[in-house]
Amino acid sequence: MQTGDDDSNSASSQPVAVSEVTIGSAVEKGAGEPTAAMTDDGAAARSSNGVDGGEEEAESVIEDKFGHITAEKQASEIRLPELKEEASKLADAVVGGTVKAAQSWHYPPVRHDWCIPSCSEGYRSLVKPDGEVEYDLHLQKPYSLDEKVDFLATEEVMEGLEVRPHIFRHELLQAFSLHLFAKRPVDPITDLPSFRRSLARRVALAALQIRLNVGGRSDDPAFTFVEFNQLDSAREGCAVCSLDLTAEPSRWRDAICKSLSEIRKLGLFGVTPGEMERYASALMTDAEQLAAQGDRISHGDQLAYLMETVANGHTFMSPEQSYEMTANALSTMTLEEVNQAAKELCSHITAIGGEAQSEGSLVAVACCPKTDNKDGPDYCDEQSLLQCIKEACKIEVEPEEDVVVPYSLVPEDELMQANESLIMDFTFPTTNVGNVGFGENVKLGITGTEAVMQIVREVLVGFHWEEDALGRSKQSFRSAHESLQKNLEGKTTEMIMESMTQNDKRFLSIDVDTVNAVTLDDAKNAVMSQLLPSKLEVSTSGDFDVSEVLDLVLKYLGSIPNDANNEFAPKEMASDPSDEYGSVPALKLPGKHIDLELSDSDPRAVSYVAGTAPNLWGYLADGSTVAEKVAKADKKASEYDQQRRSHPLFANVALALVAEILNRRLFSTVRERKQLTYDANFSFTGFERLKGGWFLVTVTASKENAQKALDACKETLHALRKSNPISPDNLESAKRVVLNRHEGELRSSSYWAMMMSGLQEESIPLKGPLSMTDFHAVVDAITTKDLQLTLECLGLDDKELYTAIGKTVQPEGVVQDEVVKASPMAGMSRGGALMAKSREY
């Protein structure tokens, strides 16, 4: 089990300098200094530590270089007096009546079709902008068209409320998906009341998402994925409230009815007191964790957050200030405020059923498989989609029942009855979760560490196996297999693996018949046979209190009986732990070439070159190692060479460097020199416990160049061994990339947990403490000769290579859409208008 805390994206433990630039002001702040503190009247207290050269001068320079390009400013820079007035009108027309002019200069100059509650009088100027502009650049006026244009059909479902349905169909689509969205003006967060409204929306959204997730847990769920959210988008210049779902093509009506019913239930009846308490506490926990990690946020993330905040008109706050404001806002937030936010969030849905007043436009975009059977359950067109949405909004709904969530999953008396111990050495940090109340009245819940330990214990000794969960899992595997059969890359890879492994099912996708044959007992026996306490290793990482974490390990995991789950233990065990997982099947020689044609209206091709390789730690399928083969090939190796190559991490590092060098060579040869592709990639399978593996070269190309690209890949592999071996420059460049990647990933807790996973397992004998402490030293010590000898451990001879080319073919009866080419414009051709004129002569 690998676990880590929430600082997995930490980029630096150093204080982050934040520079905030708004029009007319420039403020530079350190991470620990106050940035902007919100008050009830919206005032923001700002501080500055001074700017070299004077604050006014700095602000003037910033305003001149980065300020708004107004119509007056543009006109003042035009030297011809007769053009100044028209230029000013043109500049006004660009932003006239748009969100850029009405809300934020950072927004794009567009006009939106809003969908807002009818009582939102403050947004009237945004619905129908006041005044007229000289140039109708946004095409708001009607015009006669030279050619017939099919606009999206729009139907008024209630007075003032329209729905625009649109369907996209394709023969390779395996599922039905729906994106139903409405646009709303961004509500700037500038004071405590507006911040409290935003938190109320987040509580309502969290409650709805959990309800939708629970609704998907059944023997036959209506949808496979569903999400409802509202996000402020500076790029779009609006807040987008959207419902996204995917479902089986035959269940698309059920999926829409189920999801819209839950949204309507939230809009009509709101959240329960228990839901508000739980999700408000979750917001408080998130704010507390962010404040604790405030000095570890990367500069890029800080800058992106700052730009998004300023662009949307929100007040920028440091993590510490956000935590304080969250505590203040939640301490005074009421259930009525949350339910009002829920009502506004869902108003565009409840209005369809006449249960609320809203006006504007909704857009419903659906993607579904292409079928000619219009009477089948999986057929969907614009009219049936619209009808289903209207029917779903008339289904009777009832208020949600409040649920009491237990404080702890494991009763204390159960822990006291156990007397066997299981000792694990790991680290894990977290804060309290499930807190109740705020400020001085807060009642702390259990820590996240304790919650994780409880869950692990329940999985080991008290897990409840459900038929509906097995059904959802089966459906996921069936969908994945069916999608693979219509995916060019996936199907071609599957065929080459079938050939290389002689159809070994361990390395292939699970077919539908095999999935259907799995019973609940089969699944239970397979999973529990791997959860024997004596075979478990727990790897955790982060900032932590050692004694606290070890006490929890002893309390929840150490009290599990040592013979727990013995009834599921495999009857036969390998005598040698390193042989417990076996090896990949021996490669049948000589290699083969495979051609695949797949029906798809998009003409393209993909080529593969594959062969044998060691696993991640240098073990080959026959049990030999890279270190042994290198030592045998280099009879004149010095004592230092022998010492370096005997290091447990040698093969791991050597293979990483080989992969990096081969990727660079493929890019240089196949793309840059021969211009046959935009993408060529080399990778290893990277098994840890299973001995042996394969390498795979993937190159995408046009159908005409697929064979040439494949030959170029083989040529590159052969040249690296003989005519153009690895150079010192190649090695140094690869070392820099590998070390930089390693250094970057070391900032992530999940990477540390991954590196620790398997340290105590005998099935990975070369993975130990040295693989973590000596990484830099081993990388620095590798030589070009080491890599040349490592290359010989790969199956690169022609007779050992398996190749494949997958191409798409035009489906029968499909007519290519006629492409209408734009008329030539100045600057479109190479050299611009001047060169185009010279070529005419």
Side-chain angles (χ1 to χ4, degrees), residues 46 289 343 805:
R46 300 180 181 271
Q289 290 179 343
K343 180 179 179 181
I805 295 179

Side-chain angles (χ1 to χ4, degrees), residues 269-551:
F269 304 112
V271 303
T272 66
E275 287 177 324
M276 177 182 171
E277 183 180 274
R278 291 194 298 274
Y279 304 130
S281 297
L283 292 182
M284 195 68 239
T285 301
D286 289 345
E288 184 180 358
Q289 290 179 343
L290 180 62
Q293 302 164 12
D295 61 346
R296 308 181 79 179
I297 301 175
S298 70
H299 295 187
D301 290 343
Q302 191 78 283
L303 180 60
Y305 171 61
L306 173 62
M307 294 171 63
E308 187 77 10
T309 300
V310 172
N312 282 314
H314 303 323
T315 298
F316 178 80
M317 295 183 290
S318 68
E320 294 81 4
Q321 290 175 322
S322 179
Y323 169 68
E324 294 175 3
M325 299 308 300
T326 300
N328 291 338
L330 291 178
S331 64
T332 58
M333 191 169 66
T334 64
L335 182 63
E336 289 71 24
E337 288 179 302
V338 175
N339 289 341
Q340 179 61 33
K343 180 179 179 181
E344 294 173 358
L345 275 171
C346 307
S347 61
H348 61 297
I349 301 298
T350 53
I352 298 177
E355 296 144 331
Q357 295 295 321
S358 185
E359 61 182 52
S361 299
L362 282 79
V363 178
V365 180
C367 299
C368 58
K370 193 172 185 179
T371 176
D372 296 328
N373 183 13
K374 296 185 178 181
D375 297 326
D378 54 349
Y379 181 78
C380 177
D381 59 14
E382 284 78 2
Q383 191 58 40
S384 59
L385 175 63
L386 186 60
Q387 184 63 31
C388 181
I389 292 174
K390 291 193 290 186
E391 291 175 357
C393 291
K394 297 185 182 298
I395 298 175
E396 185 176 350
V397 294
E398 297 180 355
E400 187 80 4
E401 293 184 6
D402 208 356
V403 177
V404 178
V405 178
Y407 179 81
S408 174
L409 292 175
V410 183
E412 286 293 329
D413 57 352
E414 179 182 329
L415 294 174
M416 298 300 294
Q417 293 171 3
N419 53 20
E420 295 292 335
S421 295
L422 175 66
I423 299 175
M424 295 185 181
D425 183 11
F426 70 97
T427 59
F428 187 89
T430 190
T431 56
N432 294 85
V433 296
N435 302 338
V436 179
F438 306 98
E440 297 179 354
N441 300 322
V442 65
K443 179 183 177 183
L444 296 179
I446 62 175
T447 65
T449 309
E450 187 168 4
V452 167
M453 295 302 169
Q454 290 184 2
I455 293 173
V456 172
R457 179 186 175 86
E458 287 300 296
V459 170
L460 292 176
V461 297
F463 191 73
H464 179 57
W465 292 83
E466 301 173 337
E467 283 285 355
D468 63 324
L470 178 64
R472 293 192 300 275
S473 178
K474 284 185 172 184
Q475 184 56 50
S476 176
F477 276 95
R478 284 192 293 261
S479 298
H481 181 75
E482 290 170 355
S483 297
L484 183 142
Q485 303 307 309
K486 293 189 176 182
N487 179 276
L488 181 65
E489 293 79 6
K491 181 63 176 176
T492 310
T493 306
E494 179 88 342
M495 291 185 65
I496 202 171
M497 289 305 297
E498 285 180 359
S499 182
M500 293 179 68
T501 64
Q502 291 91 62
N503 205 30
D504 191 324
K505 299 297 184 183
R506 295 178 297 167
F507 307 99
L508 307 177
S509 67
I510 306 177
D511 59 69
V512 174
D513 292 338
T514 302
V515 171
N516 292 338
V518 175
T519 65
L520 188 63
D521 285 339
D522 292 336
K524 181 178 180 179
N525 291 333
V527 173
M528 298 308 294
S529 66
Q530 302 178 59
L531 296 181
L532 307 178
S534 61
K535 297 291 185 180
L536 290 180
E537 179 192 69
V538 180
S539 301
T540 62
S541 66
D543 187 13
F544 61 94
D545 183 329
V546 179
S547 59
E548 176 187 353
V549 172
L550 291 180
D551 286 344

Side-chain angles (χ1 to χ4, degrees), residues 3-116:
T3 55
D5 62 357
D6 289 336
D7 68 349
S8 59
N9 293 323
S10 300
S12 173
S13 59
Q14 302 298 321
V16 180
V18 179
S19 296
E20 177 179 355
V21 179
T22 56
I23 300 307
S25 67
V27 185
E28 182 175 349
K29 311 176 181 69
E33 300 176 17
T35 51
M38 294 188 298
T39 59
D40 283 335
D41 60 0
R46 300 180 181 271
S47 66
S48 172
N49 56 9
V51 181
D52 292 342
E55 194 171 305
E56 293 183 359
E57 180 182 351
E59 291 182 1
S60 176
V61 172
I62 292 173
E63 170 67 24
D64 181 60
K65 301 299 183 183
F66 299 102
H68 301 157
I69 303 177
T70 62
E72 292 78 9
K73 184 176 181 179
Q74 285 183 308
S76 66
E77 296 176 354
I78 297 177
R79 298 183 178 181
L80 299 177
E82 60 273 17
L83 294 182
K84 285 190 175 185
E85 183 178 354
E86 291 302 318
S88 179
K89 292 179 181 179
L90 182 61
D92 286 336
V94 172
V95 299
T98 68
V99 290
K100 188 177 185 71
Q103 285 188 290
S104 170
W105 199 264
H106 303 281
Y107 287 165
V110 297
R111 295 182 182 179
H112 291 299
D113 285 339
W114 305 108
C115 184
I116 56 178

Side-chain angles (χ1 to χ4, degrees), residues 63-273:
E63 170 67 24
D64 181 60
K65 301 299 183 183
F66 299 102
H68 301 157
I69 303 177
T70 62
E72 292 78 9
K73 184 176 181 179
Q74 285 183 308
S76 66
E77 296 176 354
I78 297 177
R79 298 183 178 181
L80 299 177
E82 60 273 17
L83 294 182
K84 285 190 175 185
E85 183 178 354
E86 291 302 318
S88 179
K89 292 179 181 179
L90 182 61
D92 286 336
V94 172
V95 299
T98 68
V99 290
K100 188 177 185 71
Q103 285 188 290
S104 170
W105 199 264
H106 303 281
Y107 287 165
V110 297
R111 295 182 182 179
H112 291 299
D113 285 339
W114 305 108
C115 184
I116 56 178
S118 302
C119 59
S120 304
E121 295 296 335
Y123 298 143
R124 289 296 162 214
S125 61
L126 293 174
V127 177
K128 292 184 179 180
D130 297 329
E132 295 290 335
V133 293
E134 187 72 18
Y135 298 96
D136 185 25
L137 297 182
H138 298 279
L139 303 179
Q140 300 298 297
K141 300 177 182 178
Y143 295 95
S144 58
L145 301 175
D146 296 331
E147 299 179 2
K148 184 179 182 301
V149 177
D150 294 327
F151 293 100
L152 289 183
T154 301
E155 181 169 328
E156 188 174 53
V157 292
M158 292 295 292
E159 184 177 356
L161 183 64
E162 300 175 337
V163 177
R164 298 176 183 169
H166 182 64
I167 309 292
F168 172 78
R169 303 179 185 85
H170 197 277
E171 57 271 5
L172 292 183
L173 290 176
Q174 296 295 305
F176 171 88
S177 60
L178 174 71
H179 181 60
L180 176 66
F181 69 95
K183 293 182 177 181
R184 291 168 176 162
V186 173
D187 183 12
I189 302 173
T190 57
D191 51 24
L192 189 59
S194 60
F195 186 63
R196 191 162 52 241
R197 286 196 303 273
S198 72
L199 292 180
R201 280 194 295 269
R202 291 175 61 187
V203 170
L205 287 168
L208 176 59
Q209 189 59 51
I210 294 298
R211 292 182 187 181
L212 290 169
N213 291 344
V214 172
R217 298 187 61 203
S218 62
D219 293 332
D220 190 17
F223 38 69
T224 55
F225 167 82
V226 63
E227 182 181 54
F228 183 82
N229 208 346
Q230 177 169 308
L231 297 174
D232 296 340
S233 173
R235 182 188 302 178
E236 300 292 335
C238 64
V240 180
C241 186
S242 61
L243 168 68
D244 292 279
L245 65 85
T246 58
E248 289 300 305
S250 60
R251 300 292 305 279
W252 67 271
R253 295 178 187 271
D254 293 340
I256 292 176
C257 290
K258 180 66 176 178
S259 56
L260 292 187
S261 294
E262 289 292 347
I263 296 172
R264 288 177 54 242
K265 185 192 299 184
L266 180 74
L268 295 176
F269 304 112
V271 303
T272 66

